[in-house]
């Protein structure tokens, strides 16, 4: 499914981006130079003053010219706006589709309205085909994110996202193996509620629709904090920690399951702090558009 979305971005996202005026043009390319290229790839991408002086004498170049070369060479490796637009487009499509699939499925599920239903007759609860496909799609998507981290646009938050993907894959796999799929569907749907809003803000930012970008990011921030710091601990953790203890009692895997859920909660707190800090700085500067830019896909730097 992810492969289908990625390939479709070539035929849908790219034409959309071009129609919105997003050009497939990269940054200024550095002048070919074998010596500087060897230093860049093998030694350092940001040489210090002493090395700059040595290169200046070796090449008979001005130090500022060498600094400019390294700056152009670093920018040369950054993805174009068109590339980032296409990546956000396929992620937006998946997050939106899986969120509405989850809502439609859970709307008729009794445990959506009463979380104690997650533990009645456990572990002898039927696994329906719709629930199975929901789980498999989510698991496949997060496995793809895990592997694509090493090939996609590089992020400064690589480590924290790596921990997040590990915890998520562990939770999905563990809950499936232990037939905790009812509460698992609640966790999945809750996490999908805000992700597509962030991707929508990125798309608007790349297309230079500032007001739309501002609106989407502010909405994302509100939904993220409400779902991750409000609903998640008082709805999800409440049922996994207390209702499950009351109805089925603790067992060895209970501790691991809740340990992974608490790990996610710690990540939620970290991300919420980052969102609030970035939002505060941007609002103080009067540049709300920086919100989605700073929370952009390559890193927290401006895209």
């Amino acid at each position: 499914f992810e492969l289908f979305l990625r390939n479709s971005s070539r035929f849908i996202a790219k034409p959309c981006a071009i129609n919105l005026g997003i050009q497939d043009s990269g940054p200024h390319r550095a002048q070919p130079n074998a010596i500087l290229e060897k230093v860049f790839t093998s030694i350092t991408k940001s040489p210090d003053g002493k090395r700059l002086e040595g290169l200046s004498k070796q090449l008979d170049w001005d130090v500022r010219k060498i600094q400019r070369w390294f700056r152009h060479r670093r920018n040369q490796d950054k993805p174009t706006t068109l590339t980032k637009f296409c990546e956000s487009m396929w992620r937006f499509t998946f997050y939106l589709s899986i969120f509405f699939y989850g809502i439609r499925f859970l709307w008729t599920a009794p445990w959506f309205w009463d979380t104690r239903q997650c533990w009645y007759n456990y572990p002898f609860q039927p696994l329906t085909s719709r629930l199975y496909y929901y789980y498999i799609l989510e698991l496949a998507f997060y496995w793809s994110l895990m592997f694509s981290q090493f090939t996609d646009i590089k992020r400064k938050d690589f480590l924290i996202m790596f921990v997040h993907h590990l915890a998520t894959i562990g939770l999905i796999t563990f809950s499936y193996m232990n037939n905790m799929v009812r509460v698992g569907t609640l966790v999945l749907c809750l996490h999908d509620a805000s992700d597509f809003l962030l991707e929508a803000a990125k798309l608007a930012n790349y297309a230079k629709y500032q007001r739309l970008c501002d609106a989407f990011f502010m909405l994302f921030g509100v939904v993220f904090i409400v779902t991750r710091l409000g609903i998640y601990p008082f709805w999800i953790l409440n049922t996994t920690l207390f209702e499950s203890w009351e109805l089925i009692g603790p067992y060895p895997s209970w501790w691991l399951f809740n340990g992974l859920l608490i790990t996610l909660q710690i990540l939620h707190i970290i991300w919420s702090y980052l969102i609030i800090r970035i939002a505060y700085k941007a609002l103080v500067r009067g540049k709300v558009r920086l919100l989605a830019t700073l929370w952009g896909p390559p890193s927290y730097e401006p895209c």
Side-chain angles (χ1 to χ4, degrees), residues 20-37:
L20 290 170
I22 301 174
Q23 300 299 320
D24 190 14
S25 57
H28 178 78
R29 299 186 69 83
Q31 175 185 344
N33 187 291
I35 295 175
L36 295 180
E37 184 67 26

Side-chain angles (χ1 to χ4, degrees), residues 117-150:
Q117 293 283 342
C118 292
W119 313 108
Y120 290 150
N121 299 321
Y122 177 82
F124 306 105
Q125 298 170 341
L127 179 66
T128 64
S129 59
R130 293 177 64 195
L131 197 158
Y132 169 78
Y133 289 128
Y134 185 30
Y135 246 68
I136 292 300
L137 277 174
E138 290 276 14
L139 181 60
F141 177 71
Y142 280 104
W143 268 116
S144 74
L145 290 184
M146 171 71 78
F147 290 119
S148 64
Q149 267 196 302
F150 300 96

Side-chain angles (χ1 to χ4, degrees), residues 17-247:
I18 293 174
N19 288 334
L20 290 170
I22 301 174
Q23 300 299 320
D24 190 14
S25 57
H28 178 78
R29 299 186 69 83
Q31 175 185 344
N33 187 291
I35 295 175
L36 295 180
E37 184 67 26
K38 185 176 181 180
V39 173
F40 182 86
T41 55
S42 305
I43 303 175
T44 177
K45 296 182 179 180
S46 301
D48 56 20
K50 186 177 179 180
R51 191 176 297 279
L52 287 171
E53 290 290 345
L55 290 170
S56 176
K57 293 177 181 179
Q58 183 178 358
L59 297 171
D60 195 23
W61 281 18
D62 183 74
V63 170
R64 298 193 66 177
K65 183 178 180 181
I66 297 175
Q67 289 176 322
R68 192 181 310 116
W69 188 95
F70 275 94
R71 184 172 65 252
H72 289 161
R73 184 63 182 83
R74 288 193 298 269
N75 291 335
Q76 186 176 310
D77 290 340
K78 293 182 179 179
T80 64
T81 302
L82 179 63
T83 301
K84 292 185 284 188
F85 183 92
C86 291
E87 179 184 303
S88 287
M89 176 68 84
W90 81 260
R91 288 175 185 261
F92 169 79
T93 304
F94 176 83
Y95 287 133
L96 184 65
S97 302
I98 202 68
F99 173 67
F100 280 104
Y101 178 88
I103 284 292
R104 184 177 178 183
F105 166 71
L106 288 172
W107 198 260
T108 57
W111 61 89
F112 184 69
W113 308 100
D114 178 12
T115 54
R116 297 174 70 88
Q117 293 283 342
C118 292
W119 313 108
Y120 290 150
N121 299 321
Y122 177 82
F124 306 105
Q125 298 170 341
L127 179 66
T128 64
S129 59
R130 293 177 64 195
L131 197 158
Y132 169 78
Y133 289 128
Y134 185 30
Y135 246 68
I136 292 300
L137 277 174
E138 290 276 14
L139 181 60
F141 177 71
Y142 280 104
W143 268 116
S144 74
L145 290 184
M146 171 71 78
F147 290 119
S148 64
Q149 267 196 302
F150 300 96
T151 57
D152 272 355
I153 298 168
K154 299 301 180 183
R155 302 170 181 260
K156 281 190 175 180
D157 59 346
F158 176 88
L159 182 59
I160 193 171
M161 291 303 298
F162 188 76
V163 173
H164 172 267
H165 297 335
L166 275 180
T168 303
I169 291 170
L171 275 169
I172 295 174
T173 305
F174 182 80
S175 61
Y176 182 82
M177 292 174 62
N178 287 271
N179 204 27
M180 295 178 175
V181 290
R182 290 189 175 183
V183 70
T185 57
L186 300 180
V187 175
L188 290 172
C189 189
L190 185 69
H191 282 74
D192 292 332
S194 60
D195 290 336
F196 71 91
L197 294 171
L198 176 59
E199 299 303 329
K202 293 178 187 176
L203 292 172
N205 179 57
Y206 300 144
K208 300 188 184 304
Y209 287 102
Q210 180 176 339
R211 292 186 179 180
L212 187 61
C213 171
D214 297 345
F216 273 126
F217 193 89
M218 296 302 290
L219 184 58
F220 158 76
V222 171
V223 173
F224 185 96
I225 292 172
V226 169
T227 55
R228 309 292 177 96
L229 299 187
I231 298 176
Y232 182 83
F234 293 105
W235 191 43
I236 301 296
L237 292 183
N238 177 66
T239 191
T240 60
L241 288 171
F242 304 111
E243 291 180 350
S244 65
W245 184 291
E246 176 187 344
L247 294 173

